[in-house]
Amino acid sequence: MKKRAFLQSEYFYGLSIAIVMGLVIMSVWGDVKPISEVDWLDVFSEGGLVVLALFWLSLLIRSRPAGRVTQLLALGLCAIVFSWSMDVADEFIRMPSTLIWQNWLESLPIPIALVLLSIGIYHWHQEEIAITAQMVKRERYFREYRLFDKLIPVGGAGYLKKQLKLSLAESKKLQQPLALIAVDLDNFNSVNRLYGAEESDHILQLICQLLLLNLRDDDLICRLAGDRFVVLLHNTSEYEAQQLSLDLQNAVASFAYRTRQLHQRVYLSATVATTMANTDNSDSLIKRLNLEISNLKQHPSNAI
């Protein structure tokens, strides 16, 4: 976090120095216009563009790690901010028409910015292709960050319902079976009480990673609520779903973890339930899966 704050301040400091130098050059070679000659409509419109570009720059630096793509995009936006700032200053300072380079401060940074942004966006495109390939088990070709879980980088309940609607329509159209697996951690509240919320949150993140390792590329995992995960299995028979359920249950049972502060071994187990999508809609399917999990927890002898 500190490194990101330093990176952000570095770009803004450099941009501020460049703008100040540009204003000094204009002040030395030009004359300040009387207030009556200032076109305030241009001032507000061009000033608004500067504020927007600064907002884009801030979001870019705060949301991305350092690297070549971030650097190219940030430098391109800095050049745009500088150019538009000089446009605003031009409304207050009259430059002599005899100066050959008077428009360079306003015009030259724009083509440079466009070249930098174009190269940066191209590499960003390549980066997104690689990230999408890694996120396929979390997104399955549909990205909506607002529906993602805040703790674990997978979809939440809203995302699961949206994906279920799409999958039910797809399975009906292609006449393929659709299965769901619920994975509910047993007595996870005791982990929270013994080791605290921060440690239990970390364990949930690791469990999600462990489940991901045991899924196929076309499977989708979401966090339904608390310590309950749901896996959506496309073109999967009931027998295949049961086998995968057993794999996930065994993976949780073999989870090897020691707490970060006390270095104590944490043992976990999970109750898993499998259901096939028949004529259900997304809400009834999730409801049936939750009821099956509750029944298995009350009668553990019926579990896998």
Side-chain angles (χ1 to χ4, degrees):
M1 194 69 181
K2 291 181 179 179
K3 185 176 182 180
R4 181 171 293 180
F6 172 77
L7 180 66
Q8 184 175 12
S9 61
E10 190 177 43
Y11 283 112
F12 280 102
Y13 286 152
L15 179 59
S16 300
I17 292 173
I19 292 175
V20 169
M21 291 178 62
L23 292 176
V24 170
I25 292 173
M26 293 182 70
S27 299
V28 170
W29 290 89
D31 299 317
V32 177
K33 294 181 181 178
I35 296 297
S36 58
E37 294 184 17
V38 175
D39 189 337
W40 292 104
L41 181 60
D42 284 350
V43 170
F44 286 119
S45 61
E46 293 170 358
L49 291 175
V50 173
V51 173
L52 277 177
L54 287 171
F55 176 66
W56 299 337
L57 179 61
S58 178
L59 287 182
L60 171 71
I61 300 172
R62 289 175 62 87
S63 61
R64 285 188 53 86
R68 180 172 58 175
V69 174
T70 302
Q71 186 178 41
L72 287 168
L73 295 175
L75 289 175
L77 286 174
C78 285
I80 287 177
V81 172
F82 176 81
S83 176
W84 288 350
S85 298
M86 295 302 100
D87 279 343
V88 176
D90 190 52
E91 300 297 328
F92 296 94
I93 300 175
R94 182 187 295 107
M95 299 294 291
S97 57
T98 55
L99 291 178
I100 301 176
W101 52 266
Q102 63 172 335
N103 292 324
W104 288 8
L105 292 177
E106 302 174 24
S107 304
L108 186 60
I110 291 298
I112 296 175
L114 292 177
V115 170
L116 291 173
L117 288 173
S118 297
I119 298 173
I121 290 173
Y122 171 76
H123 288 293
W124 191 6
H125 167 70
Q126 298 297 319
E127 182 183 84
E128 282 298 309
I129 292 176
I131 292 174
T132 299
Q134 297 174 11
M135 292 286 289
V136 65
K137 297 179 187 178
R138 307 168 191 254
E139 300 178 332
R140 202 172 188 271
Y141 316 112
F142 181 82
R143 182 170 298 174
E144 181 53 74
Y145 78 95
R146 293 175 300 175
L147 300 177
F148 263 48
D149 189 83
K150 299 298 184 292
L151 172 64
I152 303 172
V154 296
Y159 187 82
L160 174 63
K161 291 181 179 179
K162 185 177 288 290
Q163 282 282 2
L164 257 179
K165 290 178 181 178
L166 296 173
S167 299
L168 286 168
E170 180 183 354
S171 64
K172 183 178 180 180
K173 179 181 178 181
L174 300 178
Q175 295 295 304
Q176 293 177 344
L178 181 68
L180 270 79
I181 298 176
V183 180
D184 190 278
L185 301 181
D186 299 328
N187 302 316
F188 194 74
N189 288 335
S190 61
V191 176
N192 198 359
R193 290 194 305 269
L194 287 172
Y195 306 111
E198 183 178 352
E199 193 75 72
S200 61
D201 288 347
H202 183 59
I203 291 175
L204 278 178
Q205 293 170 346
L206 294 177
I207 287 292
C208 183
Q209 296 292 334
L210 180 63
L211 296 176
L212 280 166
L213 290 174
N214 287 272
L215 296 179
R216 304 166 303 182
D217 287 343
D218 287 337
D219 300 334
L220 173 73
I221 185 171
C222 296
R223 186 189 183 199
L224 184 59
D227 53 13
R228 183 169 298 180
F229 297 89
V230 173
V231 182
L232 189 58
L233 309 172
H234 295 80
N235 194 21
T236 303
S237 66
E238 186 172 4
Y239 175 77
E240 292 174 322
Q242 291 286 354
Q243 292 299 311
L244 188 53
S245 297
L246 185 59
D247 291 341
L248 296 178
Q249 191 176 45
N250 290 335
V252 175
S254 61
F255 179 61
Y257 179 78
R258 293 188 180 276
T259 58
R260 289 176 290 185
Q261 293 185 350
L262 302 176
H263 305 290
Q264 294 180 340
R265 177 75 158 83
V266 177
Y267 295 92
L268 295 176
S269 63
T271 300
V272 297
T274 305
T275 188
M276 300 299 295
N278 299 317
T279 58
D280 308 79
N281 57 34
S282 58
D283 291 329
S284 65
L285 197 56
I286 293 175
K287 184 178 180 180
R288 178 149 58 89
L289 195 61
N290 284 329
L291 287 174
E292 192 166 344
I293 277 286
S294 299
N295 179 59
L296 288 174
K297 282 186 171 291
Q298 293 174 6
H299 306 91
S301 59
N302 296 332
I304 296 177

